[in-house]
Amino acid sequence: MNTAYVFNGPNLNLLGTREPQVYGAQTLADVEALCRTACAEHGLTLDFRQTNHEGELVSWVHEAGRAQAEGRSAGVVLNAGAYTHTSIALHDAIKGSGALVIELHISNVHARESFRHHSYISPVARAVMAGFGVRGYAIALAALTGF
Ligand code: CA2
């Protein structure tokens, strides 16, 4: 059974505790549970992680790229949080590892502050999703089976 990686970046551990009008009321544990259900429906093994450290995300993308090269990965759903808008390192990691990545944002970043409109991830992502709330994770996992 192939692994679907779900990587979450900085501050996403705070989901459900503040800014529910932007990110909803569900916690990261709730998101992991919905991802587990989606993976079970689609015959995928879930590997769900969160970190507040950019380098750790870079290493995880490399790991997913290696798993993909060995035929063990369906791809990565990546919510890189604010690193989306700042991280050339993540751009290079995705490009360099060849990892298939769906960029995901809970909120519609294009309807928010202008500094959220640019993404270093989008040019190297297979697909980009924003504004579906946490349901977007389930939609992205389903989409991974179609690539
Ligand atoms: O909409 C998204 O999923 C974002 O990736 C979330 C990031 C933000 O920097 C991106 O522009 C869009 C921020 C995640 C922080 O999440 C919090 C949740 C609750 C309370 C505080 C922060």
Side-chain angles (χ1 to χ4, degrees):
M1 199 182 275
N2 268 3
T3 298
Y5 295 92
V6 178
F7 296 155
N8 296 283
N11 298 309
L12 285 156
N13 54 310
L14 299 176
L15 271 183
T17 65
R18 291 178 48 224
E19 300 193 63
Q21 70 288 358
V22 180
Y23 299 115
Q26 291 187 276
T27 65
L28 194 64
D30 295 329
V31 175
E32 180 169 3
L34 80 81
C35 287
R36 208 159 290 288
T37 301
C39 282
E41 281 170 12
H42 297 289
L44 298 165
T45 299
L46 178 66
D47 188 329
F48 187 96
R49 311 180 195 182
Q50 188 273 331
T51 180
N52 292 321
H53 303 279
E54 184 177 13
E56 194 158 28
L57 274 178
V58 166
S59 295
W60 289 352
V61 168
H62 294 171
E63 184 185 334
R66 285 193 299 274
Q68 186 181 310
E70 293 165 9
R72 296 184 285 106
S73 171
V76 180
V77 176
L78 175 61
N79 186 347
Y83 290 141
T84 303
H85 317 298
T86 63
S87 182
I88 297 169
L90 266 177
H91 172 108
D92 288 346
I94 296 165
K95 197 172 180 178
S97 69
L100 188 163
V101 168
I102 297 181
E103 174 183 349
L104 179 143
H105 302 287
I106 297 167
S107 63
N108 178 0
V109 285
H110 298 289
R112 300 182 64 194
E113 304 96 322
S114 60
F115 62 81
R116 297 186 203 276
H117 297 176
H118 176 263
S119 166
Y120 282 100
I121 312 290
S122 296
V124 288
R126 177 67 69 94
V128 181
M129 294 179 59
F132 290 92
V134 297
R135 284 184 310 125
Y137 285 83
I139 297 166
L141 287 165
L144 277 185
T145 63
F147 289 127

